[in-house]
Amino acid sequence: MSLEQREQSEREQASRMLPPAPYPEPPPGRVEARREHFLGEIDRQARSRSPRLAPRSRGRWGLALGAAMAAGAAVVVLTLDFASPGASPNLPPASAASVELLERAALAAATTPQTKVRAGQYTYVKTVGHTSVLSETKAGEMELLRENEAMEQWTSVDGSEQTLQRKGGNDKLLPGTPGRGNLNSPTYNFLAALPTDPGALLERIRDDAEKNHGAGSDSTTGPDQEAFVTIGDLLRDGVSPPETTAALYRAAALIPGVDVVPDAVDAAGRNGVAVARTHDGERTEWIFDKSTARLLGERTVLVEDNAWGKAGTVVTSVAVINSGIVDEAGRTN
């Protein structure tokens, strides 16, 4: 099968997975033209960069090294990162099906009515989900346990007030204030100030990844995977202007190795179609509603057997239940 035939097949697959959306479809040739632009942008960025050590994945839902004793059993939480040092292997550009799905998500975001945000307000995000831990039983056997990570969070739009977090019905003010915000801890104003050109936005995200996880660090994940994880975090945990959200989806379409998973289920049990990227034995999936192309959630699925389980095991999963702008911390509307 030729490259053109493969891309046509991918586009037909994407069309079958996503019914006609309730917003205008891209004009004929727009998706292909955007993909050509993306490929050119990838080439330009590749030529402008010198080789560097690959950074390590950092997603907020990733597992950190730690240990705890409970009921006589040792619980060990390890980083879900099976990478080996060195440069990432060459990967093909994002598939035609993933580019089309991301463009539909971008169009859906861009046509969302703009909320007028003012000082003193908060972004509100409610999520449900789980992370995974490996537990050593008294018998010396290892078992995989799930930890509930359902929560609600209120973040000051300008970062001037403390963030309120609610877990299990208990409220906690996080220490300090977000300030202006950054890619790891964004505020609404920070997200609103990001570039809305997809190429410039991806370059901003990649530069941050290499700066904090590049040469001299113990990172083992390449900048492409780090960028994919960062964009997923911003889309899932942040509330941003429609044009910023659209730009994030289009920036993701610039990342090599991105593909589509036809069927995926989020942490709330909702079925959808996923944009995904596989890295060192695990696949990160962003799950979208098949009818509206709205982001439902994200999950990490093993594609190879390892200490965390058999291929197909969902090791982390989170679903976005509600989000928006509210007047006070603690309010949901």
Side-chain angles (χ1 to χ4, degrees):
M1 180 182 292
S2 69
L3 178 61
E4 291 78 9
Q5 289 173 325
R6 181 173 67 83
E7 292 183 350
Q8 178 62 30
S9 175
E10 289 174 348
R11 282 192 289 271
E12 291 173 355
Q13 178 191 31
S15 297
R16 290 193 298 271
M17 290 185 293
L18 281 172
Y23 45 81
E25 287 289 328
R30 176 172 176 177
V31 171
E32 185 61 31
R34 184 172 291 279
R35 187 169 189 270
E36 291 300 321
H37 167 73
F38 287 165
L39 295 180
E41 191 67 27
I42 291 169
D43 290 340
R44 183 187 67 79
Q45 292 180 15
R47 289 194 301 269
S48 67
R49 296 179 181 276
S50 57
R52 301 187 186 184
L53 294 181
R56 180 180 58 194
S57 178
R58 177 262 327 124
R60 294 187 196 100
W61 286 78
L63 303 183
L65 179 62
M69 298 297 295
V75 179
V76 182
V77 187
L78 302 174
T79 299
L80 283 174
D81 190 349
F82 311 106
S84 56
S88 300
N90 292 326
L91 291 173
S95 69
S98 68
V99 171
E100 179 167 346
L101 176 52
L102 287 165
E103 179 62 17
R104 290 189 178 189
L107 288 171
T111 55
T112 302
Q114 174 82 48
T115 300
K116 187 175 182 179
V117 178
R118 61 181 185 274
Q121 291 185 306
Y122 291 77
T123 59
Y124 167 65
V125 178
K126 179 179 181 179
T127 57
V128 297
H130 74 269
T131 57
S132 297
V133 297
L134 281 177
S135 172
E136 183 179 4
T137 66
K138 292 181 179 180
E141 298 178 348
M142 300 301 293
E143 62 178 341
L144 190 68
L145 301 178
R146 287 187 173 185
E147 290 192 345
N148 183 16
E149 289 290 344
M151 73 172 195
E152 296 172 89
Q153 185 161 299
W154 292 263
T155 305
S156 170
V157 295
D158 60 7
S160 61
E161 303 292 337
Q162 286 180 273
T163 297
L164 174 64
Q165 194 174 87
R166 179 175 295 162
K167 286 187 176 183
N170 299 314
D171 289 357
K172 178 178 69 173
L173 285 172
L174 301 186
T177 59
R180 181 177 179 274
N182 54 56
L183 289 172
N184 296 323
S185 182
T187 63
Y188 181 91
N189 286 1
F190 173 83
L191 292 169
L194 288 174
T196 54
D197 174 77
L201 179 57
L202 181 60
E203 188 165 1
R204 167 75 173 80
I205 292 169
R206 284 177 58 100
D207 284 348
D208 187 83
E210 294 191 9
K211 173 182 169 184
N212 294 294
H213 302 274
S217 73
D218 61 352
S219 288
T220 54
T221 303
D224 290 331
Q225 179 67 11
E226 182 67 22
F228 189 78
V229 169
T230 297
I231 293 173
D233 289 347
L234 296 175
L235 290 167
R236 185 191 66 238
D237 292 340
V239 176
S240 60
E243 62 270 20
T244 303
T245 303
L248 286 167
Y249 286 128
R250 288 167 176 153
L254 285 165
I255 300 174
V258 176
D259 207 346
V260 165
V261 176
D263 294 293
V265 181
D266 74 1
R270 299 172 297 191
N271 291 85
V273 56
V275 165
R277 194 173 193 276
T278 300
H279 178 78
D280 288 326
E282 60 186 69
R283 185 176 64 236
T284 302
E285 300 177 358
W286 305 345
I287 305 171
F288 296 88
D289 183 281
K290 290 184 178 182
S291 297
T292 66
R294 179 176 63 89
L295 182 68
L296 300 177
E298 179 181 337
R299 69 178 186 175
T300 301
V301 182
L302 299 182
V303 295
E304 300 173 1
D305 295 351
N306 56 48
W308 294 92
K310 300 291 185 181
T313 300
V314 179
V315 288
T316 67
S317 184
V318 59
V320 180
I321 303 302
N322 193 12
S323 65
I325 303 293
V326 297
D327 290 335
E328 299 175 9
R331 292 185 56 175
T332 60
N333 54 44

